[in-house]
Amino acid sequence: MTAWTPSPRQAERDAVRRRLRTRRRLVASVATLVVVGGLVTVLVLSPGWETFQETFLSWDHAKASFPAILKGFAWNVLMFLVAEPLILLLGALVAVTRSTVSPALFPLRLLATVYTDVFRGIPTILLIYIFVFGVPALRLQGVTTSIFWLGITALVLSYGAYVAEVFRSGIESIHPSQVASADALGLSSAQSMRFVVLPQAVRRVVPPLLNDFASLQKDTALVGAVGVFDALFAARDYTNFNFNFTPYVVAAAFFVALTVPMARYTDWLAARYARREGAGAR
Amino acid sequence: MTGEPLLRITNLRKAYGDKVVLHDVQLTVRQHDVVCLIGASGSGKSTLLRCIDLLEPVDDGEIHLGGVEITDPLVDVRSVRSRMGMVFQAYNLFPHMTVLENVTLAPRKVHGLSAADAEDRARTLLARFGLADKADEHPDRLSGGQQQRVAMVRAIVMEPELVLLDEVTSALDPELVGEVLDIVRDLAERGTTLLLATHEMGFAREVATNVCFLHEGVILEQGPPAQVLGDPREERTRQFLRRVL
């Protein structure tokens, strides 16, 4: 290799590019300052700012409520960790069931279709009410009356319906030529699903699934509405006794701290899959 | 060999809505034959192959494989397909599996071979076609020619009675066509029965025992390659050959 020094024209181009880059950074900084500054000004100059600060952003109340909210938040994390695998399992089962063709499985297909239609239609908070208050009222033998478990059941059924549809769209996005190829090898439709379609579909739906997870993390707070001592419950408890809303902000910060890393991870994964699909493109 | 041919197609008809894709097709393939289907794009070559592999239902007529009518709705579709190998124009390898996994899937799951036996077979065949060092790669790391050779190995690993090749070189860069055709030639020389749709006229002339010219879903002319390609009877065949040669 011979040594290379940029030609005068290339040096000129580099200089121009550097100048353009500097200008872009300057514009971005000024724009950000103007927008953020404007928002802060509106906030601080608002007539109620003093009171707002006291009732929502009190450092003392934040410190005082922190331990209880942290303890409550552990329940949110626990609910999430228990519900999520069950949701994935349920969603995958329902999606695969809906993709079967065997006539003997028709009743299951019907059930799966009705399930997704009905449970996606009912607001999650209503499902939680129905399960937590309705199921114990039936006084069924051997069925739990624990608010925690009934709440989780409601979350699983609600999210399972969404996740099933995500899985199903993934299954349907696999090109028919892949199925033709599996058919031509003599694979049964169950084997084709298990070995060819599902593994590819799952890879493809990971980003949208993670998006649903982020949503689930927040919705565990809905179970707090029926009496599980979670972060939201703890915040409300403190608020009721101290007439200060700061604990709500603290609880919000907890949820954000959990969902933001998840969101970044989702972006990263999506970018990686996009790169890989691009590399495989012909 | 006299008596029942390996593949016998009579009065085959296939239509998509109003569009008739195959009309009154008659075709016979004997064991060890190499039959080339030629004709313009849209003449029905691929559809014919897909009908034979039961990937498309036929609208009329019969297909017999080794004396069994495979167009019978009560036929065991999987066992029929496992007697044939099919290779597609776009390779259709499974992108989430390694080359070895692609090749051993059917031997293990359809033919009931142990993992070790399947791997043995696969590695032997991959080595024969110069793919030994690619066994653990994923398809997206391979060139088009290599991918198509893997697809070929995947289709023949269980030594099917009939191999269907659907324009296996059409998606390839010109300099990669040769390596795939070499495999087809190798199969033909070993006596594998082949039915292939192709645009490679030189190759057809060299290896085919029979050439069929399809035009708008009809087999207009069939016979030995020297006759169909060298001295065609039909004006349509002559026009087609003038365009492609």
Side-chain angles (χ1 to χ4, degrees):
Chain A
M1 274 240 320
T2 51
W4 167 77
T5 41
S7 67
R9 180 68 190 116
Q10 181 60 34
E12 219 174 292
R13 279 197 291 251
D14 287 342
V16 171
R17 285 197 188 109
R18 269 196 302 276
R19 223 166 33 241
L20 289 175
R21 217 164 24 235
T22 315
R23 190 191 298 166
R24 287 163 64 91
R25 281 201 194 116
L26 193 69
V27 171
S29 312
V30 170
T32 310
L33 268 177
V34 167
V35 170
V36 173
L39 283 173
V40 169
T41 313
V42 168
L43 212 58
V44 173
L45 292 185
S46 63
W49 174 241
E50 292 287 319
T51 345
F52 180 86
Q53 240 182 331
E54 257 162 55
T55 43
F56 282 89
L57 302 173
S58 147
W59 184 245
D60 292 337
H61 284 296
K63 270 198 295 199
S65 62
F66 187 89
I69 293 176
L70 179 65
K71 239 161 104 191
F73 192 67
W75 280 102
N76 291 94
V77 173
L78 182 65
M79 281 191 275
F80 170 74
L81 290 178
V82 173
E84 192 53 54
L86 295 173
I87 288 166
L88 283 176
L89 193 69
L90 178 67
L93 274 177
V94 169
V96 168
T97 304
R98 289 191 74 175
S99 308
T100 54
V101 286
S102 156
L105 295 180
F106 178 77
L108 280 183
R109 272 200 294 281
L110 185 70
L111 196 67
T113 311
V114 170
Y115 161 70
T116 37
D117 283 355
V118 169
F119 281 76
R120 269 197 313 167
I122 304 176
T124 309
I125 183 82
L126 278 183
L127 267 182
I128 290 170
Y129 279 135
I130 292 169
F131 270 80
V132 171
F133 300 131
V135 172
L138 291 173
R139 287 191 227 147
L140 291 169
Q141 278 281 302
V143 173
T144 181
T145 53
S146 138
I147 298 176
F148 176 79
W149 286 107
L150 289 172
I152 282 185
T153 308
L155 282 179
V156 167
L157 287 173
S158 177
Y159 272 82
Y162 282 103
V163 167
E165 286 303 276
V166 172
F167 272 125
R168 198 162 69 100
S169 69
I171 287 169
E172 281 171 4
S173 76
I174 301 303
H175 198 271
S177 67
Q178 287 284 310
V179 180
S181 205
D183 284 348
L185 288 171
L187 267 68
S188 68
S189 54
Q191 287 175 325
S192 160
M193 176 61 75
R194 161 78 183 76
F195 299 112
V196 176
V197 176
L198 211 50
Q200 296 186 60
V202 167
R203 280 180 176 82
R204 222 170 262 193
V205 298
V206 163
L209 279 183
L210 286 175
N211 190 39
D212 279 353
F213 289 6
S215 173
L216 174 68
Q217 288 173 350
K218 296 177 300 175
D219 279 359
T220 54
L222 293 176
V223 186
V226 291
V228 169
F229 209 98
D230 77 328
L232 178 65
F233 198 105
R236 194 170 46 207
D237 195 47
Y238 184 96
T239 303
N240 287 346
F241 284 101
N242 298 282
F243 306 106
N244 188 285
F245 294 110
T246 307
Y248 286 136
V249 178
V250 174
F254 270 105
F255 283 103
V256 170
L258 196 59
T259 47
V260 166
M262 184 89 127
R264 291 289 82 76
Y265 179 64
T266 309
D267 291 348
W268 177 81
L269 259 188
R272 203 176 66 138
Y273 283 122
R275 234 189 353 261
R276 203 169 271 180
E277 296 222 334
R282 287 182 292 274
Chain B
M1 198 179 115
T2 52
E4 183 68 24
L6 179 60
L7 181 74
R8 185 161 57 85
I9 300 175
T10 48
N11 310 321
L12 185 69
R13 177 190 168 85
K14 174 71 189 172
Y16 294 109
D18 287 341
K19 180 156 170 43
V20 180
V21 189
L22 292 172
H23 181 67
D24 206 24
V25 167
Q26 323 282 341
L27 180 70
T28 297
V29 179
R30 268 172 287 275
Q31 220 179 352
H32 310 305
D33 272 1
V34 177
V35 177
C36 286
L37 305 170
I38 62 167
S41 296
S43 59
K45 307 186 294 290
S46 292
T47 306
L48 179 53
L49 293 175
R50 293 177 71 89
C51 286
I52 296 169
D53 209 20
L54 305 182
L55 294 173
E56 299 281 349
V58 305
D59 291 319
D60 206 345
E62 293 178 13
I63 304 175
H64 292 258
L65 181 71
V68 177
E69 196 211 320
I70 61 173
T71 34
D72 183 335
L74 295 179
V75 83
D76 178 1
V77 174
R78 290 183 61 199
S79 85
V80 169
R81 284 177 179 148
S82 65
R83 294 168 62 189
M84 292 185 268
M86 173 115 178
V87 184
F88 300 87
Q89 180 175 340
Y91 335 132
N92 296 10
L93 292 176
F94 304 132
H96 60 297
M97 295 183 187
T98 64
V99 164
L100 192 66
E101 288 165 345
N102 263 280
V103 176
T104 55
L105 181 65
R108 287 187 297 124
K109 302 299 172 189
V110 179
H111 300 268
L113 260 61
S114 72
D117 286 352
E119 188 176 330
D120 262 7
R121 259 174 188 267
R123 287 201 188 271
T124 309
L125 217 48
L126 287 169
R128 201 170 100 199
F129 296 132
L131 295 160
D133 57 329
K134 303 293 178 204
D136 300 312
E137 298 273 17
H138 279 80
D140 65 346
R141 311 285 298 177
L142 271 53
S143 75
Q146 290 166 340
Q147 290 190 49
Q148 191 59 298
R149 277 147 65 201
V150 172
M152 207 85 97
V153 170
R154 185 174 70 173
I156 62 171
V157 68
M158 291 311 293
E159 294 169 6
E161 295 164 57
L162 173 66
V163 176
L164 308 168
L165 306 174
D166 187 4
E167 299 197 22
V168 290
T169 58
S170 297
L172 297 176
D173 291 337
E175 80 269 20
L176 299 177
V177 168
E179 62 187 66
V180 172
L181 290 185
D182 284 344
I183 296 190
V184 183
R185 196 176 289 115
D186 179 281
L187 292 179
E189 278 162 10
R190 287 167 191 260
T192 312
T193 313
L194 297 173
L195 178 58
L196 54 144
T198 186
H199 286 296
E200 302 288 332
M201 296 306 147
F203 183 76
R205 189 191 293 263
E206 177 198 339
V207 300
T209 48
N210 254 301
V211 174
C212 299
F213 173 65
L214 269 100
H215 178 75
E216 292 176 357
V218 179
I219 295 188
L220 270 189
E221 154 155 38
Q222 54 181 313
Q227 185 257 306
V228 176
L229 299 173
D231 182 25
R233 277 190 302 268
E234 297 285 333
E235 178 52 30
R236 293 278 191 198
T237 319
R238 279 195 286 276
Q239 281 176 2
F240 172 74
L241 290 173
R242 268 201 301 279
R243 277 206 314 274
V244 297
L245 287 179

